[in-house]
């Protein structure tokens, strides 16, 4: 189906971030890849037992190509038609690094989803810095320092009228590390999503969201009915939320997302300035439930009937 959908671009995908940026009723996807490399020199990861053709000068000038992609959907009558590659991700001349995860979430509760990328690479923890089998220009063996990346900075994009603007340094969650997994959850119950970052060979880092936007929110916790073929965690259920100023806010309950990551099953949606919302749940077996005129800034538990 990839050629028909228009998503058959090759890559080295690690994670897919899923949301509905254009409110089409079907998911848009952000593909988080490890970087690709254009090279004219045979290269494999060296260790003390590997003999290989290795030219440090060419390695130093290897061209790294950014590989992450945002694909937005086109839908008709609520059904997916195709995807097209979007340019609505602003990063200037920066590469978004070796991405292990892409997480969409509404950090400021304004009703549109923002994007966090967790990056990391620890080559030195896997391979030695010195390659003793590297030949010099005369064919003699020499010790060569293999360049490695100790840490990589995460990236944070704020959704501004459909454009994901890179605001990593402004976010306060930009220290470089070796992130492998990130989860967003409301640690202190104030209605703003906080962030926990799990690092490889390093301490976990907790970032508290001190946003003071004043926007409203709603949380939905679903419990499925196993007698109807739906798990109690309601995996695969979709939630649609309408407010006077926000239409087709979308969430789906996932079992996992990202590398070794299981997100909270409670779904958090920002409502902007609106204080009331209509919530429709589409259960995985096709059942629908609608709750009208729910008050903002509350958590609702919805059981499948």
């Amino acid at each position: 189906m990839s050629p028909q959908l228009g998503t058959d671009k090759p890559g080295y995908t690690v994670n897919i971030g899923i949301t509905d940026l254009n409110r089409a009723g079907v998911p848009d996807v952000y593909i988080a890849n490890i970087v690709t490399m254009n090279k004219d020199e045979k290269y494999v990861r060296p260790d003390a037992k590997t003999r290989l053709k290795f030219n440090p000068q060419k390695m130093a000038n290897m061209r790294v190509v950014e590989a992450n992609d945002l694909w937005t959907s086109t839908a008709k009558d609520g059904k997916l038609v195709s995807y097209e590659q979007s340019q609505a991700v602003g990063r200037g001349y920066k590469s978004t690094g070796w991405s292990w995860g892409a997480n969409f979430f509404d950090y400021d509760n304004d009703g549109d989803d923002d994007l966090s990328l967790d990056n990391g690479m620890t080559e030195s923890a896997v391979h030695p810095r010195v390659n003793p089998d590297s030949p010099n220009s005369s064919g003699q063996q020499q010790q060569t320092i293999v360049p490695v990346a100790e840490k990589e900075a995460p990236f944070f994009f704020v959704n501004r009228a459909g454009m994901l603007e890179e605001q990593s340094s402004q976010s306060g969650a930009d220290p470089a590390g070796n992130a492998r997994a990130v989860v967003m959850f409301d640690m202190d119950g104030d209605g703003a999503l906080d962030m926990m970052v799990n690092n490889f060979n390093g301490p976990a880092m907790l970032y508290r969201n001190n946003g003071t936007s004043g926007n409203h929110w709603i949380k939905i916790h679903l419990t499925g009915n196993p007698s109807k073929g739906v798990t109690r965690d309601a995996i695969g259920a979709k939630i649609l939320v309408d407010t006077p100023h926000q239409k087709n806010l979308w969430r789906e309950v996932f079992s996992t997302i990202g590398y070794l990551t299981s997100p909270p099953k409670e779904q958090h949606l920002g409502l902007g300035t609106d204080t009331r919302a209509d919530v429709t749940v589409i259960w995985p077996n096709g059942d629908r439930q609608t709750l009208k005129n729910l008050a903002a800034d509350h958590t609702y538990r919805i059981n499948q009937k």
Side-chain angles (χ1 to χ4, degrees):
M1 287 294 294
S2 295
Q4 291 89 336
L5 292 175
T7 57
D8 54 339
K9 177 184 176 182
Y12 298 90
T13 302
V14 176
N15 176 254
I16 299 177
I18 301 175
T19 189
D20 185 8
L21 289 173
N22 58 13
R23 312 283 176 89
V26 296
D28 305 308
V29 295
Y30 185 91
I31 307 295
N33 294 298
I34 60 177
V35 294
T36 59
M37 299 181 180
N38 288 350
K39 54 188 181 293
D40 57 1
E41 188 76 6
K42 180 181 178 182
Y43 172 62
V44 295
R45 291 179 173 178
D47 60 31
K49 298 180 181 179
T50 303
R51 299 181 67 86
L52 70 160
K53 182 180 179 183
F54 178 75
N55 187 324
Q57 292 180 332
K58 287 189 176 182
M59 285 296 299
N61 294 293
M62 179 181 288
R63 187 163 67 93
V64 178
V65 180
E66 173 60 45
N68 290 1
D69 296 298
L70 173 64
W71 299 88
T72 52
S73 61
T74 300
K76 183 177 182 180
D77 299 326
K79 295 183 178 180
L80 176 64
V81 176
S82 64
Y83 282 100
E84 67 176 15
Q85 194 171 2
S86 173
Q87 300 301 314
V89 182
R91 59 176 175 265
Y93 293 102
K94 295 180 180 178
S95 165
T96 47
W98 194 288
S99 301
W100 291 85
N103 294 274
F104 283 103
F105 73 116
D106 190 354
Y107 97 96
D108 52 4
N109 289 333
D110 64 351
D112 53 31
D113 281 350
D114 312 291
L115 174 64
S116 174
L117 296 181
D118 53 292
N119 298 329
M121 183 188 297
T122 315
E123 289 287 332
S124 59
V126 180
H127 304 292
R129 288 178 171 276
V130 177
N131 174 24
D133 295 331
S134 176
N136 59 23
S137 58
S138 302
Q140 298 175 333
Q141 298 302 313
Q142 64 177 5
Q143 287 193 338
T144 303
I145 300 297
V146 179
V148 295
E150 291 286 350
K151 297 180 179 181
E152 282 207 82
F155 277 77
F156 192 87
F157 298 88
V158 177
N159 193 326
R160 303 294 189 202
M163 182 69 183
L164 295 170
E165 297 180 359
E166 195 265 310
Q167 294 190 11
S168 305
S169 60
Q170 297 94 318
S171 72
D174 61 332
N178 290 304
R180 292 297 183 269
V182 175
V183 293
M184 283 69 178
F185 68 108
D186 187 359
M187 172 189 67
D188 46 11
D190 65 352
L193 286 173
D194 308 295
M195 183 165 61
M196 174 69 79
V197 180
N198 192 27
N199 288 296
F200 177 68
N201 280 348
M205 302 178 72
L206 177 62
Y207 295 96
R208 180 178 177 179
N209 186 343
N210 292 320
T212 57
S213 65
N215 288 324
H216 299 284
W217 50 271
I218 193 169
K219 298 177 187 177
I220 307 295
H221 189 107
L222 302 179
T223 300
N225 187 343
S227 68
K228 293 190 172 185
V230 179
T231 64
R232 291 199 178 276
D233 280 339
I235 304 302
K238 296 179 178 61
I239 299 170
L240 300 176
V241 173
D242 289 338
T243 72
H245 297 97
Q246 305 278 351
K247 302 299 179 184
N248 291 329
L249 296 174
W250 180 95
R251 288 291 184 272
E252 182 170 333
V253 182
F254 299 109
S255 59
T256 61
I257 186 167
Y259 177 75
L260 300 178
T261 304
S262 182
K265 303 304 178 285
E266 182 179 86
Q267 303 300 304
H268 179 284
L269 298 98
L271 303 180
T273 59
D274 292 319
T275 59
R276 294 280 169 176
D278 296 339
V279 175
T280 297
V281 179
I282 305 174
W283 300 95
N285 67 342
D287 289 352
R288 299 174 73 102
Q289 286 178 241
T290 299
L291 294 87
K292 296 282 190 179
N293 202 34
L294 299 181
D297 305 331
H298 287 79
T299 300
Y300 296 88
R301 293 184 175 272
I302 302 175
N303 297 321
Q304 185 179 13
K305 295 180 179 180

